[in-house]
Amino acid sequence: MGKKRTFIVFLCLTLTSCASIPKESPELSQEIGKRVAAMQSSHLQLVRKYFDLKRDKVNEVFEEEWIPAYAESFFSQDQVADYWEKLVEEDDKEERLQFLVRLGPRMLEEIRSKQAEFLEPLNTLESQIQDSLRNDYQQILAANNTLTSFLSNSSKVSQNRDRYLELFGVSQGKINTYIDEVDERSEQVMELIKKANLN
């Protein structure tokens, strides 16, 4: 009986070294993981919408300020201005249309190229922020997955521990009593050691 009791005490101390983890803990941790993933999606969407607003503002200024200035500069070039004046004087609508059809694609390409150039810093910054957010959220989700796995495994260990203790007829109250007794004895031994050093 003495060996059995010693074994049970040893088993209790070993098994109770794991903190008691409620069985709901893994589910709670999984729910937190889902909410973090939803937050990531919302956060990235917010960043996209914010940068869309900024791009809209840049495009507005570009269309109101840069395109008219570009058109004025383009048509004030001597060669272009002289040819346009000639077409206006001759009142040749067909030739004016052909002139604009020939110049239009070149002008449009320059306008689009300049617009992309103005938007590039915003696009680059948006990409950097999104990459940084994704990286941060991946680390949080990886930590959450690790925690969820730990809680799930620990919860199973805790449930198995309780089952084995019941098999041996050991209640949680007895375990607590044994642990209190060990704590008390340890304190007594430490006090004795301290007194021994003083003498």
Side-chain angles (χ1 to χ4, degrees):
M1 185 68 178
K3 286 185 181 181
K4 184 179 177 185
R5 182 172 176 190
T6 305
F7 171 75
I8 290 173
V9 171
F10 176 77
L11 181 65
C12 292
L13 290 175
T14 303
L15 292 174
T16 56
S17 64
C18 300
S20 180
I21 296 176
K23 62 182 177 184
E24 297 84 6
S25 297
E27 289 85 4
L28 178 61
S29 185
Q30 285 174 338
E31 187 59 34
I32 290 171
K34 289 177 189 172
R35 294 203 179 185
V36 169
M39 283 174 55
Q40 175 186 9
S41 177
S42 296
H43 206 164
L44 290 171
Q45 187 176 7
L46 179 64
V47 168
R48 276 192 297 276
K49 287 186 181 297
Y50 180 76
F51 275 91
D52 284 346
L53 288 173
K54 292 299 177 184
R55 274 188 286 271
D56 288 347
K57 189 65 180 168
V58 168
N59 283 330
E60 184 182 317
V61 172
F62 181 79
E63 289 168 9
E64 291 175 1
E65 304 284 336
W66 192 88
I67 291 178
Y70 167 74
E72 185 178 334
S73 171
F74 186 86
F75 282 101
S76 66
Q77 295 175 40
D78 291 339
Q79 191 177 8
V80 175
D82 291 344
Y83 190 65
W84 182 255
E85 286 295 325
K86 180 182 163 216
L87 291 174
V88 170
E89 285 174 15
E90 292 175 355
D91 196 28
D92 188 345
K93 293 180 182 177
E94 183 62 32
E95 188 59 33
R96 276 193 310 234
L97 180 63
Q98 288 303 316
F99 176 74
L100 292 175
V101 167
R102 283 193 306 271
L103 286 181
R106 190 177 111 198
M107 292 176 70
L108 192 58
E109 186 179 331
E110 286 183 33
I111 289 169
R112 285 181 178 157
S113 174
K114 200 64 178 175
Q115 186 178 29
E117 183 184 321
F118 283 127
L119 290 173
E120 181 58 29
L122 276 177
N123 294 336
T124 300
L125 183 59
E126 178 186 20
S127 181
Q128 289 171 348
I129 290 172
Q130 286 182 334
D131 288 346
S132 177
L133 283 172
R134 282 190 192 98
N135 185 49
D136 289 344
Y137 276 106
Q138 282 175 348
Q139 289 179 17
I140 293 168
L141 288 168
N144 178 257
N145 286 337
T146 301
L147 179 62
T148 301
S149 295
F150 169 77
L151 289 172
S152 181
N153 290 335
S154 296
S155 178
K156 288 174 188 170
V157 167
S158 178
Q159 290 169 12
N160 286 337
R161 176 195 65 205
D162 294 343
R163 256 187 345 166
Y164 287 127
L165 289 175
E166 284 177 24
L167 280 174
F168 284 109
V170 179
S171 68
Q172 187 63 43
K174 280 186 183 178
I175 294 170
N176 292 340
T177 302
Y178 291 142
I179 291 171
D180 291 344
E181 190 177 321
V182 170
D183 285 345
E184 189 179 325
R185 294 263 172 97
S186 296
E187 289 293 326
Q188 288 171 356
V189 169
M190 287 187 280
E191 282 299 318
L192 287 172
I193 291 170
K194 287 177 188 175
K195 287 179 183 174
N197 284 339
L198 293 176
N199 293 331

